[in-house]
Amino acid sequence: SVCLLIHDVIDQYNILEASMMGMRQCVLELHDALVGADPDTKGVDYVLCDGNRDPKIRYPTDVKYEYIIKGDSKIYCIGAASIIAKVTRDRLMIEYDQKYPVYQFAQNKGYPTPLHKRLVLSKGPCDIHRKTFKPVKNWYQQHKPAIYERVEKLKKETMEKRKKQEKATKETGKNKTKTKDKKQAAITKFIGASKNKKKKKESNEPPLVEEQKDA
C-alpha cells in the first residue's frame, strides 16, 4: 500500500505528523483491500514502522505494531517499503517536471539542491512547493506576506488542536486507569474481608478433638 500526501497537508501538520498520517493511511487501505478481496482473511494483524515515534495505529482495532529506530537498515520489509516510497516519489517528480519544467524536478527530484533553491528564489515557487520550508517560506514572507501569514496561522491552529486532542486522550487513559484501580481495590477489599470473616469463624468454632489435659 502506498499513500500520497499533498504539500498542503505537510504544510498544515508538519512533515513528521504527515508521515505518521501516511503510515496509518497505508495500514487502513491495505487492510481494507485484503479483507475486501477475501472476507475470510484476517487482514493486517502486525505492522513494523520505521522511526522513534509511536505512529498510534488504531485501525484495525486489534492490530499490533512496533516502531524501530533505523528500521530501514535493520528490517528487510521496512527497507523494501522505503525503496518503494522513494521510487514512487521519484516517478511522481518526473511527471511534475513535465508540468513545471523550469524547476528541473526530473534532475533534483524536489530536493533542495543549490540550483533548485536558486530557481525558486529567482522564478518564485510553483503550486507544489511546500510553503513552510525554506527558501520557499522566505520567498512568501517577502513577496506574498498574506499567504505566508495564513499558512503559519493554520499550522499553529492545527498544532494547538492536536495538543488538546492528545491531552484529552491522555486524560481519558488516566481516568480509565483510575477506574480500573478502584475496581481492583474494591475486589481486593472484598476478598480480604471474606478471608477475615472465614478466619474469625474458624477461631470461634470448638475444636473437633478435646485438648489432652495432664492428670
Side-chain angles (χ1 to χ4, degrees), residues 60-88:
T61 53
D62 58 344
V63 69
K64 295 180 180 179
Y65 66 91
E66 60 179 303
Y67 46 101
I68 301 102
I69 299 173
K70 298 187 182 300
D72 56 345
S73 63
K74 298 175 181 177
I75 311 295
Y76 284 126
C77 60
I78 295 180
S82 178
I83 292 171
I84 291 172
K86 189 177 187 310
V87 171
T88 300

Side-chain angles (χ1 to χ4, degrees), residues 118-135:
R118 287 199 299 271
L119 289 170
V120 168
L121 293 174
S122 61
K123 306 294 183 181
C126 68
D127 292 339
I128 67 169
H129 278 107
R130 295 177 295 206
K131 298 178 179 65
T132 54
F133 284 66
K134 295 179 180 180

Side-chain angles (χ1 to χ4, degrees), residues 32-141:
D32 287 351
L34 292 172
V35 175
D38 182 6
D40 294 328
T41 189
K42 191 176 181 180
V44 177
D45 58 358
Y46 203 90
V47 181
L48 293 170
C49 303
D50 186 23
N52 61 354
R53 181 180 172 186
D54 184 355
K56 300 176 183 177
I57 300 172
R58 301 291 181 260
Y59 180 88
T61 53
D62 58 344
V63 69
K64 295 180 180 179
Y65 66 91
E66 60 179 303
Y67 46 101
I68 301 102
I69 299 173
K70 298 187 182 300
D72 56 345
S73 63
K74 298 175 181 177
I75 311 295
Y76 284 126
C77 60
I78 295 180
S82 178
I83 292 171
I84 291 172
K86 189 177 187 310
V87 171
T88 300
R89 185 181 183 280
D90 288 351
R91 290 174 177 173
L92 185 61
M93 295 314 298
I94 291 173
E95 293 179 12
Y96 279 134
D97 182 68
Q98 297 175 6
K99 187 175 182 180
Y100 308 104
V102 68
Y103 301 100
Q104 301 183 23
F105 287 138
Q107 284 73 41
N108 59 52
K109 301 298 186 295
Y111 292 103
T113 62
L115 176 58
H116 186 189
K117 289 191 284 187
R118 287 199 299 271
L119 289 170
V120 168
L121 293 174
S122 61
K123 306 294 183 181
C126 68
D127 292 339
I128 67 169
H129 278 107
R130 295 177 295 206
K131 298 178 179 65
T132 54
F133 284 66
K134 295 179 180 180
V136 180
K137 178 180 178 179
N138 297 341
W139 187 92
Y140 274 100
Q141 188 175 15

Side-chain angles (χ1 to χ4, degrees), residues 169-182:
T169 301
K170 287 182 180 179
E171 288 298 324
T172 302
K174 287 181 181 179
N175 291 336
K176 286 183 179 179
T177 301
K178 287 180 180 178
T179 302
K180 185 178 179 181
D181 291 343
K182 286 181 180 178

